């Protein structure tokens, strides 16, 4: 073999080894499949359960809403949007919507404000922090039925604690269960008593993750406690705050137990003698189990679902815009941009 032939054989040797390299074993391919597919198997139980107890009931509610459907007789004729037309033309439905929004506003706004303050105070290093954190959660542990019965007694018009306290300062007895505005306030107090501590602990968990050096830097710059709260704490816990606002919106618009048990002595417990505190879920319950009209009740459920989604989206957009506008990083970026423009102008 000549020298040229030996060099050619040597040059072709690596490519021959490469061509002769063994293919990937089946174990490696199985490992890659497991790595790619395992996450989907891990989360599949949630989606299967959601489809069974969440998505299917929602779709079935739409099916019932487009039919005449008696509670005892079952499915009737297809009516399309007829049930929706009947509900939208019913003054009782709009009365329930107004009552629901009124109670929601009277409960959600003070509830979130007080929860923020409580969470901020618990984050300031109080003595025996575990005791105080457990204490604010106690109302949430109490069942809604027990809370409703207790507050129904407190706001009793004859000899309730609320009127007795008002009498001590010279105010006459109030009609807590017959006056529309007063009944809404009383029910809102019940809701706030139960949910304020729960929301405060969620916000507290978010506040504890805020870097402490931000507070120290702001304090060195002369920022007071209120300025640090609104300029650092609120923007930093923005995702948790949005979560709490949305969950409070969902729960507030679906309120049922508190108005149902607030005054069970009148009108079968469906919202007062004149429906002055009948919420939308109470109206739905009346349609389904008093009038036995599951078709119209399902239509109310769909309309309430759309209302909750709409108000939830509005709350999300407003809270995100406010929090983003007050974010320290955004303000710092705007200051740098202004300083850059000034230097360029010079």
């Amino acid at each position: 073999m000549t020298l040229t032939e030996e060099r050619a054989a040597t040059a072709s040797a690596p490519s021959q080894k490469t061509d002769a390299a063994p293919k990937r074993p089946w174990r490696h391919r199985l490992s890659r499949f497991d790595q790619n597919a395992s996450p989907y198997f891990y989360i599949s139980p949630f989606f299967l359960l959601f489809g069974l107890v969440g998505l299917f009931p929602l779709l079935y509610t739409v099916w019932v809403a487009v039919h005449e459907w008696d509670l005892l007789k079952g499915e009737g004729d297809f009516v399309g949007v007829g049930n929706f037309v009947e509900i939208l033309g019913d003054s009782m439905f709009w009365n329930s919507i107004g009552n629901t929004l009124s109670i929601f506003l009277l409960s959600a706004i003070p509830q979130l404000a007080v929860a923020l303050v409580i969470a901020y105070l618990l984050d300031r290093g109080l003595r025996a922090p575990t005791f105080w954190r457990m204490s604010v959660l106690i109302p949430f542990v109490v069942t809604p039925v027990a809370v409703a019965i207790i507050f129904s007694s407190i706001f009793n018009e004859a000899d309730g604690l609320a009127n007795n306290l008002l009498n001590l300062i010279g105010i006459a007895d109030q009609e807590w269960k017959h006056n529309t505005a007063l009944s809404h306030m009383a029910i809102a107090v019940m809701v706030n008593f139960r949910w304020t501590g729960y929301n405060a602990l969620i916000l507290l968990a978010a506040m504890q993750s805020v870097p402490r050096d931000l507070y120290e830097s702001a304090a060195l710059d002369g920022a007071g406690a209120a300025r640090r709260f609104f300029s650092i704490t609120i923007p930093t816990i923005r995702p948790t705050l949005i979560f709490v606002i949305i969950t409070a919106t969902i729960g507030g618009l679906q309120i049922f137990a508190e108005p149902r048990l607030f005054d069970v002595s009148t009108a079968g417990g469906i919202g007062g003698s004149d429906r002055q505190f009948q919420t939308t879920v109470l109206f739905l319950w009346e349609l389904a189990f008093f009038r036995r009209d599951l078709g119209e009740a399902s239509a109310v459920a769909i309309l309430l679902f759309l209302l909750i989604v709409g108000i939830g989206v509005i709350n999300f957009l407003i809270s995100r815009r406010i929090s983003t506008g007050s974010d320290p990083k955004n303000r710092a970026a705007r200051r740098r941009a202004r300083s850059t423009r000034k230097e360029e102008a010079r």
Side-chain angles (χ1 to χ4, degrees), residues 260-277:
R260 169 68 180 85
L261 299 173
F262 183 60
D263 187 14
V264 296
S265 62
T266 58
I270 58 174
S273 56
D274 295 326
R275 304 175 188 273
Q276 63 269 20
F277 53 88

Side-chain angles (χ1 to χ4, degrees), residues 51-325:
L52 180 63
V53 303
L55 185 60
F56 172 74
L58 179 62
L59 298 178
Y60 192 71
T61 301
V62 177
W63 175 259
V64 175
V66 296
H67 288 80
E68 290 286 352
W69 204 294
D70 187 82
L71 176 64
L72 300 179
K73 297 179 182 179
E75 182 178 352
D77 297 333
F78 176 81
V79 295
V81 296
N83 288 325
F84 293 93
V85 174
E86 289 290 333
I87 291 300
L88 292 175
D90 192 341
S91 60
M92 293 183 184
F93 170 72
W94 294 109
N95 173 70
S96 69
I97 290 291
N99 293 336
T100 301
L101 293 176
S102 175
I103 296 173
F104 164 68
L105 293 175
L106 289 173
S107 60
I109 296 176
Q111 177 188 143
L112 296 177
V114 175
L116 270 174
V117 174
I118 293 176
Y120 182 77
L121 294 176
L122 292 175
D123 191 42
R124 294 301 90 192
L126 298 176
R127 294 183 179 180
T130 303
F131 168 77
W132 295 111
R133 293 169 189 174
M134 293 178 61
S135 299
V136 299
L137 194 61
I138 289 176
F140 178 73
V141 178
V142 181
T143 61
V145 175
V147 173
I149 293 175
I150 292 171
F151 278 89
S152 177
S153 177
I154 291 175
F155 291 105
N156 191 300
E157 297 176 356
D159 55 356
L161 178 61
N163 278 337
N164 289 335
L165 293 177
L166 292 177
N167 292 338
L168 293 177
I169 57 177
I171 300 178
D173 291 344
Q174 301 295 314
E175 296 182 341
W176 296 103
K177 297 182 179 181
H178 290 84
N179 183 277
T180 301
L182 292 178
S183 62
H184 292 183
M185 292 175 58
I187 295 173
V189 170
M190 298 163 59
V191 176
N192 292 338
F193 172 80
R194 186 164 184 265
W195 288 99
T196 300
Y198 171 80
N199 290 328
L201 288 185
I202 294 179
L203 295 172
L204 173 63
M207 290 181 184
Q208 290 182 332
S209 64
V210 179
R212 299 300 162 178
D213 55 350
L214 293 178
Y215 294 115
E216 296 173 359
S217 301
L220 292 175
D221 291 340
R227 180 65 181 274
R228 294 196 299 269
F229 177 75
F230 288 104
S231 299
I232 297 177
T233 304
I234 297 297
T236 307
I237 65 172
R238 175 173 61 102
T240 305
L241 188 59
I242 292 174
F243 168 78
V244 170
I245 291 173
I246 292 177
T247 54
T249 301
I250 295 173
L253 295 177
Q254 290 181 339
I255 184 172
F256 173 77
E258 288 83 357
R260 169 68 180 85
L261 299 173
F262 183 60
D263 187 14
V264 296
S265 62
T266 58
I270 58 174
S273 56
D274 295 326
R275 304 175 188 273
Q276 63 269 20
F277 53 88
Q278 184 184 58
T279 60
T280 305
V281 179
L282 264 179
F283 178 62
L284 184 156
W285 178 72
E286 179 190 357
L287 286 173
F289 298 103
F290 278 70
R291 306 184 194 178
R292 302 189 312 179
D293 193 340
L294 292 184
E296 291 189 2
S298 299
V300 173
I302 298 299
L303 294 173
L304 179 61
F305 170 76
L306 296 176
L307 177 65
I308 292 174
V309 171
I311 296 180
V313 170
I314 293 173
N315 285 340
F316 171 75
L317 295 176
I318 293 176
S319 58
R320 186 181 65 173
R321 183 177 181 85
I322 293 175
S323 300
T324 304

Side-chain angles (χ1 to χ4, degrees), residues 47 80 125 340-341:
F47 288 99
T340 302
R341 287 195 298 268

